[in-house]
Amino acid sequence: MALLTVTDLRGGYAAADEIVKGATLHVDSGDIVALIGPNGAGKSTLLKLIAGLLRPRAGQVRLFDREIAGFDASAISRLGLAFVPQERNVFGSMTVAENLEMGGFLDGRHMRDRRDELYERFPLLAEKRRAAARTLSGGQRQILAMAIALMNAPKLLLLDEPTAGLSPQAAEDLFDTIVELNRTGVSILMVEQNALEALVVSTRAYVLVQGRAEREGSAADLASDPTVRDLFLGAKAQPMLAGKSGGQT
Ligand SMILES: Nc1ncnc2c1ncn2[C@@H]1O[C@H](COP(=O)(O)OP(=O)(O)OP(=O)(O)O)[C@@H](O)[C@H]1O
Ligand SMILES: [Mg+2]
């Protein structure tokens, strides 16, 4: 079942400058979908258009069979879509606990119950609950950013470069966390620079070039497609294909 269907979506930051030029993609229930592509292709802009942080100029965005193009970000997040931006996704001077409080529409006991659930799922956040977010490592900060988004119990999570700036080990750990999260029933659309690694944990993927999804396929097919490897994945070594795969079966 399609959770999210984006059809011929267009938009950008200024009327004269269209960045996303007719993007079409979908995310099914249980999917981990990777969105890869060169710098400046419009990947972040596309996520912002879907999440309602930018207003689409044309095209459709259907979330759970409801047309949401033009809805504002808070309305969209109340419908079950959460977005973790590429930058400034935690409040550095606030504690971990305060960051989580900021994430939810819940109040009082419900908020605390949800926060406790997330502490159970991510014990490091419980350990660090009184620490300022800026004192976390890069990988810990990304987990906090995801947990903030999870406060509202979304069905679909949009992640913009969750592993940017992380060491290879921290990136691999974060991909494991994303797969585990997916197994709890959260579908995922993620933009990734670590393209090969992202394809390993994804069910499907799109290659975005100049504002359009130019290639689409199973993550395994795209990972082995010579054109994709040459164009977008550089001369990177072997993908970590052994034994891991995302998605619920
Ligand atoms: N806030 C902004 N205001 C105006 N133009 C912007 C803004 N953010 C991005 N752009 C422009 O939009 C285009 C696409 O940027 P976008 O951030 O969507 O690309 P991206 O695919 O996410 O790239 P990267 O891989 O570097 O994150 C770029 O030409 C960029 O200069
Ligand atoms: Mg980006």
Side-chain angles (χ1 to χ4, degrees):
M1 187 191 74
L3 287 188
L4 175 75
T5 309
V6 174
T7 311
D8 206 17
L9 193 67
R10 295 171 178 272
Y13 302 89
D17 189 16
E18 199 168 71
I19 306 286
V20 172
K21 300 171 181 167
T24 294
L25 62 82
H26 65 98
V27 179
D28 289 336
S29 181
D31 262 345
I32 299 181
V33 174
L35 188 59
I36 61 176
N39 289 120
K43 304 179 298 294
S44 295
T45 306
L46 175 54
L47 293 191
K48 287 183 230 170
L49 287 164
I50 295 170
L53 295 169
L54 290 171
R55 202 181 171 84
R57 188 163 322 132
Q60 287 94 49
V61 182
R62 288 191 80 77
L63 179 69
F64 314 121
D65 272 331
R66 189 194 294 237
E67 181 58 42
I68 60 160
F71 283 26
D72 66 29
S74 67
I76 291 172
S77 79
R78 280 170 199 277
L79 290 173
L81 181 151
F83 173 49
V84 181
Q86 187 169 354
E87 282 159 346
R88 293 189 293 273
N89 52 23
V90 303
F91 298 96
S93 59
M94 297 170 95
T95 65
V96 166
E98 288 165 344
N99 267 278
L100 291 173
E101 284 167 31
M102 301 291 291
F105 303 122
L106 308 167
D107 51 15
R109 188 167 58 83
H110 293 108
M111 189 279 291
R112 288 189 294 276
D113 287 350
R114 181 70 185 150
R115 197 172 59 187
D116 289 344
E117 282 170 33
L118 291 168
Y119 283 152
E120 264 175 50
R121 187 176 306 166
F122 305 111
L124 84 93
L125 296 182
E127 264 166 53
K128 301 258 182 183
R129 67 179 85 193
R130 288 186 193 82
R134 77 176 117 70
T135 67
L136 301 180
S137 73
Q140 292 170 339
R141 214 173 298 176
Q142 284 300 333
I143 290 189
L144 175 58
M146 274 200 278
I148 293 170
L150 292 172
M151 283 294 287
N152 289 317
K155 286 274 174 271
L156 175 63
L157 191 58
L158 270 43
L159 303 173
D160 196 352
E161 301 207 20
T163 68
L166 301 187
S167 69
Q169 182 61 54
E172 202 180 322
D173 291 346
L174 195 71
F175 282 131
D176 288 344
T177 303
I178 290 169
V179 169
E180 281 165 30
L181 184 62
N182 174 252
R183 293 201 173 117
T184 70
V186 181
S187 303
I188 290 168
L189 173 62
M190 64 176 175
V191 168
E192 259 300 334
Q193 290 288 350
N194 289 319
L196 285 184
E197 293 80 356
L199 290 175
V200 172
V201 299
S202 301
T203 44
R204 287 186 309 108
Y206 294 86
V207 181
L208 194 77
V209 185
Q210 295 186 356
R212 303 172 66 102
E214 292 284 346
R215 301 291 274 261
E216 173 190 359
S218 76
D221 285 350
L222 283 182
S224 60
D225 179 319
T227 319
V228 170
R229 292 183 73 94
D230 288 352
L231 277 175
F232 307 110
L233 307 177
K236 281 188 112 179
Q238 293 298 310
M240 325 174 284
L241 280 176
K244 265 200 249 173
S245 72
Q248 302 161 57
T249 46

